[in-house]
Amino acid sequence: RPTPGDLRPNPDWTGLPIFDRTGWRRVTFGAFAESVNERVEPADAAEEIYVGLEHLDPENLHIRRRGKGSDVIGTKLRFRKGDIIFGRRRAYQRKLAVAEFDGICSAHAMVVRAKPEEVLPEFLPFLMMSDRFMNRAVEISVGSLSPTINWKTLKNEEFDLPPLEQQRRIAEVLWAVDEVKQSASVQRDDAEILRKTYLLSIFSQLENKYPKKSIRDLGEIQLGRQRAPKYTTGLCSRPYLRVVNVLDGQLNLTDVLEMDFDDRDFARYKLQPRDILVTEGDITSPYNVGRSAVYHGEIADCCFQNTLIRFRAGELLIPDYTHFALQNALYRGIFAAVASTTTVTHLGAERFGTVKIPVPPLDVQQEVCTKLFNLVSLVTLEKEHLKQVDALLKQLIQISFDSN
């Protein structure tokens, strides 16, 4: 009997009988699934669970959030345990989940129920998660601002369906991988909670033990350059970062724009490794303003826009420690408290500078950084694990439903 270290994946695993398409038949969607259109008024279901499209996560078969019937108005749809709640409005968002309880849902959803003599209820959700189904759902949606699927159209769409026994075997494999995905998601969330809890705890201790100083007295604060048409000639174009590029603790460099910076402006707005970038404004919530990340020179000759504040730490601060201190201020709502809020929340360079952080000796700062980086690494590992499992699940769905 081989030991675990001797086990190797079957190089031809996609050719195993479970993926054999012999015996599959092309069937209209309405022949194996039905749209349940049981309407209900929230006043008559005030204490029942309500699921809106905002409660569904893209490409996740599980409902993690919910409301109550008393929270909403307008006619809703009733669903039963085992039904599929499919976001028929803006189908490109790929919102689809299996109900684990009875309740009511948004009329912008479609309640789909399997016809068990044709398709197993545990198999149908994965068929609907496939690219073949989702891409077709987008193609048949009508409307420009909020494209929506009509059941009369969807029910006539044709999809390949395997025999019931093969459906059962495929569903067993996919639900097993989904279970691993859910476990990995919980582990990631737990690691993130641990990181935040420890960060808040350690800074609570630091604030009680060491003096606090205003940020403006601890380094250089600089607001970025405003984007304007006169700076988009392309004559001296350089990359720059804006608010969407700064996440909580990391930079997102998938969409970096350029604008003109002449020599004088380039010298003023050029980023240097270990600069800290802080989001100056936010349109979603006051509690999102003040996100920060450390720039490590990821993009050569990079500048920053006025939606960001650059903080360059002085000799009393380690930049990474400063970033963690700013995260503490973010999580405690300190930035939200000092920000100016109208339709958009603005932190502003001056208000940012008034925030105070504890300033322990440099060796203590380094010790704090080491402990927190260990937890950041744990979160990163858990995120990568979840990403790999999610990729495996998508690959299996692709092989099961989208192969010719």
Side-chain angles (χ1 to χ4, degrees):
R1 181 177 178 177
T3 63
D6 296 329
L7 297 177
R8 296 292 183 270
N10 186 331
D12 193 31
W13 65 283
T14 59
L16 294 175
I18 193 172
F19 300 113
D20 183 2
R21 299 178 72 86
T22 302
W24 288 46
R25 56 197 176 95
R26 181 150 294 191
V27 188
T28 60
F29 191 69
F32 59 85
E34 62 179 318
S35 174
V36 181
N37 197 27
E38 183 181 347
R39 296 184 174 272
V40 60
E41 296 299 325
D44 299 325
E47 298 305 315
E48 294 192 50
I49 294 172
Y50 168 73
V51 177
L53 296 187
E54 69 276 12
H55 297 130
L56 303 180
D57 295 320
E59 298 185 298
N60 192 322
L61 292 176
H62 302 268
I63 301 171
R64 299 303 186 196
R65 299 175 303 281
R66 63 189 73 175
K68 291 179 63 177
S70 57
D71 298 334
V72 294
I73 59 174
T75 303
K76 306 303 175 188
L77 298 177
R78 183 175 298 284
F79 62 85
R80 305 294 181 183
K81 181 178 180 180
D83 286 344
I84 297 171
I85 303 173
F86 172 45
R88 68 188 184 96
R89 186 177 186 180
R90 300 190 179 96
Y92 56 82
Q93 295 180 338
R94 292 177 172 246
K95 291 188 173 185
L96 179 151
V98 179
E100 299 177 359
F101 42 77
D102 295 347
I104 61 174
C105 68
S106 169
H108 295 303
M110 181 183 294
V111 177
V112 178
R113 186 173 297 166
K115 296 181 178 179
E117 67 277 7
E118 296 289 339
V119 67
L120 298 180
E122 59 267 32
F123 175 84
L124 181 57
F126 293 109
L127 184 152
M128 295 178 66
M129 285 279 284
S130 68
D131 285 348
R132 180 158 295 180
F133 178 89
M134 286 295 183
N135 291 341
R136 190 59 189 146
V138 172
E139 290 170 359
I140 65 175
S141 297
V142 294
S144 55
L145 295 178
S146 298
T148 304
I149 300 170
N150 295 320
W151 172 250
K152 290 183 179 180
T153 304
L154 178 60
K155 71 177 184 179
N156 293 319
E157 293 297 318
E158 295 184 340
F159 301 95
D160 293 330
L161 203 62
L164 288 175
E165 184 56 35
Q166 192 172 10
Q167 290 181 32
R168 181 174 289 106
R169 296 174 65 196
I170 292 174
E172 287 175 351
V173 171
L174 296 180
W175 278 114
V177 179
D178 180 80
E179 184 178 353
V180 176
K181 175 183 173 180
Q182 299 312 309
S183 176
S185 178
V186 171
Q187 291 175 334
R188 179 214 45 199
D189 293 345
D190 287 347
E192 179 63 13
I193 291 172
L194 176 62
R195 180 192 70 83
K196 283 189 175 182
T197 301
Y198 183 78
L199 185 146
L200 292 170
S201 174
I202 198 168
F203 273 94
S204 179
Q205 298 174 35
L206 293 172
E207 288 172 351
N208 291 328
K209 189 173 182 180
Y210 298 102
K212 294 195 294 184
K213 296 181 180 294
S214 298
I215 292 175
R216 64 189 173 203
D217 298 326
L218 295 169
E220 175 190 330
I221 298 173
Q222 173 71 47
L223 193 64
R225 216 272 299 278
Q226 182 179 12
R227 179 178 172 84
K230 64 179 180 180
Y231 298 133
T232 57
T233 65
L235 297 177
C236 47
S237 185
R238 301 182 189 274
Y240 72 96
L241 300 183
R242 59 200 200 281
V243 68
V244 297
N245 299 121
V246 178
L247 307 180
D248 179 21
Q250 62 181 340
L251 296 176
N252 178 6
L253 303 178
T254 57
D255 182 21
V256 177
L257 304 181
E258 293 189 356
M259 65 174 162
D260 297 344
F261 289 88
D262 58 26
D263 290 343
R264 183 185 64 182
D265 281 350
F266 180 61
R268 183 179 183 186
Y269 297 110
K270 180 183 178 182
L271 293 171
Q272 297 180 8
R274 306 186 82 187
D275 280 347
I276 301 168
L277 292 172
V278 183
T279 58
E280 190 279 331
D282 196 277
I283 61 174
T284 59
S285 169
Y287 293 92
N288 283 334
V289 73
R291 298 191 311 274
S292 63
V294 181
Y295 172 79
H296 293 289
E298 292 88 344
I299 299 177
D301 296 337
C302 191
C303 300
F304 64 110
Q305 192 188 6
N306 67 334
T307 56
L308 298 177
I309 300 168
R310 179 185 66 194
F311 181 71
R312 191 166 287 167
E315 60 182 12
L316 294 179
L317 292 175
I318 295 174
D320 289 322
Y321 169 85
T322 309
H323 162 63
F324 290 131
L326 297 182
Q327 280 189 318
N328 176 65
L330 172 70
Y331 301 155
R332 292 186 183 278
I334 296 174
F335 289 140
V338 302
S340 171
T341 301
T342 52
T343 55
V344 179
T345 299
H346 287 286
L347 181 57
E350 290 187 9
R351 288 186 292 271
F352 170 72
T354 65
V355 173
K356 294 184 176 182
I357 61 174
V359 186
L362 294 179
D363 61 330
V364 175
Q365 293 183 34
Q366 187 58 59
E367 182 181 353
V368 169
C369 289
T370 299
K371 292 178 179 178
L372 287 172
F373 273 132
N374 287 337
L375 293 177
V376 170
S377 296
L378 175 62
V379 173
T380 301
L381 287 173
E382 296 297 349
K383 286 182 177 179
E384 183 59 30
H385 179 216
L386 175 58
K387 181 179 178 181
Q388 292 176 357
V389 176
D390 185 52
L392 174 61
L393 181 59
K394 290 178 180 177
Q395 183 184 16
L396 288 171
I397 293 175
Q398 171 77 11
I399 292 169
S400 299
F401 300 103
D402 299 327
S403 300
N404 294 321

